[in-house]
Amino acid sequence: MLQKLLCASLLASCSLAAQAASTQWNFVYTGFLDEYSQTFDPTMTASGSFTGEDLNHDNIIQLSELSRLDVAGANHLNCGYHVTCAAPSFSYQLGGALSLTVFASYYRPDGELDGRYGIESGVAVTYGLEDYSEYRYLFTPQTTLSVTAVPEPDTYAMMALGLLGIGALSRRRKSAR
């Protein structure tokens, strides 16, 4: 009886630990209207990833619940060297809609502007080059969003331990007969 209680306690503690972990998601917006040529480009994409945890359990990840927000090679929560960036808004309904606004400016080592990038969900994706030319791709009803959770290595480890446990129990039952 004590062995069963110990196993149940171990399983419950592993489950609680798994629920407390942050999750990483990758997102891709696909299909935009080129503002200059007024043609729809179904292959144009804007993508990134974010890591966070629904701390208030409302099924919405807000900007304050993020630990990382990567778009165009920059973590918009902690910009790197030669990058000025901002993330004024972010919201992800778990399993549903993503809304974000991010901007970044990239600088060469000499301090000159190298390029700009921005996404405003539902409005446009903007690219700017060092010569200050700008390209805007507009969201349309045909623009699609794909958000996928990235399994953490801990998830694979817990699954492997679970399978080993099931195998050990099965083998023990067979040898007991």
Side-chain angles (χ1 to χ4, degrees), residues 3-109:
Q3 189 176 19
K4 287 182 181 179
L5 184 60
L6 182 63
C7 286
S9 299
L10 183 61
L11 180 62
S13 65
C14 286
S15 297
L16 290 173
Q19 292 297 323
S22 291
T23 303
Q24 179 180 340
W25 291 270
N26 292 333
F27 68 89
V28 179
Y29 286 108
T30 305
F32 293 90
L33 178 68
D34 182 329
E35 185 179 58
Y36 177 72
S37 69
Q38 288 297 301
T39 58
F40 182 76
D41 182 353
T43 63
M44 170 62 186
T45 62
S47 61
S49 65
F50 58 95
T51 304
E53 183 179 347
D54 184 14
L55 297 172
N56 60 3
H57 307 290
D58 64 353
N59 288 327
I60 299 173
I61 307 287
Q62 297 290 340
L63 184 61
S64 62
E65 296 173 314
L66 291 180
S67 56
R68 190 166 186 93
L69 174 57
D70 291 313
V71 180
N75 176 6
H76 284 71
L77 303 180
N78 185 15
C79 297
Y81 188 63
H82 297 301
V83 179
T84 301
C85 61
S89 69
F90 180 93
S91 176
Y92 173 58
Q93 171 75 40
L94 293 175
L98 172 67
S99 175
L100 73 140
T101 302
V102 295
F103 301 103
S105 295
Y106 302 89
Y107 296 91
R108 294 191 299 256

